[in-house]
Amino acid sequence: MRRWLVVVLAGALAAALPASASASAGSCRVDVPGAQRQVAVCLDDLTTTGTLASGHTVEADWAGLTSAGLPTYGRVPGVQVDGYFPDTSTANTNHGWNHDSQFVLRLPARWNGGLVVSGSPGVRRQYANDRAIGDQALAEGYAFAATDKGNTGAAFYDDGVRPGDAPAEWNTRVTQLTLAARSAAARHYHRPVTRTLAAGLSNGGYLVRWQLENRPWLYDGGVDWEGTLWRADGPNLLTFLPPALRAYPAYAAGSSSAHQSILDAGFAPGSEFLWDYHYRVYWDLTQRIYREEVDPSFDGALSAGTPFCASGTPSCDADYAYASRPASVTRAVERISLTGRIGKPLLTLHGTLDTLLPITRDSDVYEKMIDSAGRGSLHRYYRVVDGNHVDGLADVYPDRLRPLGPCFRTAFDALGGWLRGVRPPASGTIARPAGATPAELATTCSLVSRP
């Protein structure tokens, strides 16, 4: 059983990571409340340019999430703390710790009083946001904290006891890290945190949404980059992935009706060039592991079903019908569902060619949920034409896709302005600028939109 509701425990300092010679160990000591293990070190540069060289990030955690052309930042010296909170699951192998609930906290020498907290996308580990989010936050003077969410890897569903336990822990771990990081920063800088922001992409974006709905008093606002939508009555990924999986083999063989079935599932016209890659890399695996988490009885004794099974095969995820499953499945999804009742300002970005979480089944729906909850004044929603779910694919298809990383950077700054009283542009569609080159799209993005 995980004891992840215990937030404040005595921390212990342990040396296990590469050290920098830029400062003595004593000047780098940081106390993260509740951490079972923590290793603090002064670094000459906390951005990925420096941490790649010093060994204080893991590039595999964030590979593929950003485009190669996303600009880097100048050197940001400060203190990095790596550690973990008490947990009994062991999937995260970073540092040879074999311990989940790992986190990283970075404290820049020149601090603006703010803190950015993030949970990892997908089932990645704590460094997954370093390039996409952490570099900007640190360069602008924010402290930055990120968590592995308490379970990692394709078998994340093995963590927990009840269906839904693993993603429910994600939410708790972000709250836990936010509280601990605020306390650690206040002690380190000898003054309280004045602004706390949540930011994340994919599952990390879901965590931003959930925190602003359920823990709004901890945050001043958030940026949601294509967050995953969980709704007990749908849509959710278990409602739109199975029909795509079922139809794709026939589509690949030339069937026009199968093509229409994938469009009907919610995938955008014009995204067809991405379907083969997503079928092979994302659709099948995502469906099976998340279905296993909330509905383990579907495939009996199997663990996450049978990869790429043909429709008609017993217990095949291509034939999964969420609406016909037992009420226990709905209850498991209810535990992690969103409501739209955000309590602090939120900016949402979503690409129109997202081929993992199609925009019409995700952020379009979440915007309506926020409006229905009477919270529309707290929300800005930007639909980014030609944006996909991961920016690495924009390097493969530079003339067809545009990266969302630059739009996130603009949105992050717009959130800061909003909190200072400068309202961001109205929600709308960010068109691809006429004549813009791939290099220009990789570096700049305007939120000026067309309703």
Side-chain angles (χ1 to χ4, degrees):
M1 291 286 293
R2 298 178 303 237
R3 295 181 175 86
W4 37 267
L5 290 179
V6 178
V7 175
V8 179
L9 293 174
L13 190 66
L17 293 172
S20 167
S22 61
S24 66
S27 65
C28 301
R29 190 180 183 94
V30 176
D31 179 26
V32 180
Q36 183 177 340
R37 184 173 191 170
Q38 51 188 300
V39 182
V41 60
C42 283
L43 296 176
D44 294 325
D45 186 7
L46 296 172
T47 75
T48 51
T49 299
T51 55
L52 273 172
S54 68
H56 289 83
T57 187
V58 177
E59 186 174 7
D61 284 7
W62 42 269
L65 295 180
T66 57
S67 63
L70 187 68
T72 58
Y73 290 93
R75 187 172 64 89
V76 180
V79 181
Q80 174 162 321
V81 186
D82 291 277
Y84 54 75
F85 294 106
D87 199 348
T88 58
S89 55
T90 60
N92 190 339
T93 60
N94 273 345
H95 315 305
W97 286 344
N98 300 319
H99 196 292
D100 291 342
S101 299
Q102 291 192 38
F103 66 86
V104 60
L105 171 63
R106 298 190 175 101
L107 302 164
R110 296 176 62 88
W111 187 47
N112 68 6
L115 169 68
V116 176
V117 183
S118 193
S120 60
V123 290
R124 298 185 185 223
R125 300 175 297 184
Q126 70 268 28
Y127 301 115
N129 294 304
D130 282 7
R131 181 83 173 94
I133 298 172
D135 280 359
Q136 179 183 12
L138 292 162
E140 295 187 8
Y142 289 89
F144 175 72
T147 171
D148 68 3
K149 309 194 304 288
N151 42 75
T152 67
F156 78 98
Y157 51 79
D158 284 336
D159 195 17
V161 176
R162 292 187 298 159
D165 269 358
E169 182 181 1
W170 302 349
N171 297 317
T172 301
R173 291 301 183 182
V174 173
T175 301
Q176 178 185 45
L177 181 59
T178 301
L179 290 167
R182 282 165 59 110
S183 177
R187 295 180 185 183
H188 179 72
Y189 294 112
H190 306 290
R191 57 189 174 100
V193 173
T194 57
R195 175 179 295 171
T196 305
L197 307 179
L201 61 139
S202 192
N203 279 342
Y206 157 76
L207 292 166
V208 174
R209 297 173 176 182
W210 192 95
Q211 294 292 317
L212 295 190
E213 289 184 6
N214 295 276
R215 305 287 186 268
W217 56 87
L218 281 178
Y219 306 92
D220 295 281
V223 183
D224 154 31
W225 176 345
E226 295 179 325
T228 310
L229 180 64
W230 284 106
R231 282 169 52 101
D233 56 353
N236 58 54
L237 57 86
L238 301 180
T239 66
F240 56 75
L241 286 179
L245 288 170
R246 190 162 54 250
Y248 183 79
Y251 160 75
S255 169
S256 59
S257 62
H259 175 243
Q260 188 60 48
S261 294
I262 297 175
L263 296 177
D264 291 344
F267 294 91
S271 67
E272 289 88 348
F273 69 100
L274 296 167
W275 289 1
D276 177 66
Y277 177 84
H278 282 76
Y279 174 75
R280 290 183 290 106
V281 176
Y282 283 119
W283 291 352
D284 179 76
L285 178 65
T286 301
Q287 163 63 27
R288 289 186 294 103
I289 63 178
Y290 287 91
R291 190 271 309 151
E292 183 72 17
E293 169 58 26
V294 299
D295 191 1
S297 66
F298 173 74
D299 57 357
L302 293 175
S303 179
T306 303
F308 301 102
C309 55
S311 177
T313 304
S315 302
C316 180
D317 273 279
D319 294 324
Y320 187 75
Y322 175 81
S324 67
R325 297 301 296 157
S328 59
V329 178
T330 303
R331 289 195 297 270
V333 176
E334 280 177 344
R335 298 180 58 205
I336 57 173
S337 286
L338 297 167
T339 65
R341 293 191 293 272
I342 56 173
K344 290 293 173 64
L346 173 67
L347 283 78
T348 294
L349 302 167
H350 207 116
T352 60
L353 295 184
D354 189 326
T355 312
L356 176 59
L357 303 177
I359 192 169
T360 60
R361 300 298 187 267
D362 192 288
S363 293
D364 284 0
V365 177
Y366 192 56
E367 180 190 34
K368 293 175 182 177
M369 292 168 60
I370 292 173
D371 289 342
S372 296
R375 310 298 172 91
S377 64
L378 292 173
H379 192 221
R380 293 290 187 275
Y381 173 37
Y382 305 107
R383 305 173 92 252
V384 183
V385 172
D386 295 341
N388 180 54
H389 195 69
V390 292
D391 277 2
L393 284 175
D395 295 331
V396 180
Y397 301 103
D399 296 324
R400 297 190 185 189
L401 298 175
R402 68 175 297 176
L404 267 71
C407 298
F408 171 85
R409 290 185 170 182
T410 305
F412 183 86
D413 289 339
L415 175 61
W418 196 357
L419 298 177
R420 295 190 301 270
V422 181
R423 291 187 174 274
S427 300
T429 298
I430 300 174
R432 187 183 187 111
T437 67
E440 291 169 335
L441 293 174
T443 58
T444 60
C445 178
S446 172
L447 298 185
V448 175
S449 53
R450 300 184 306 179

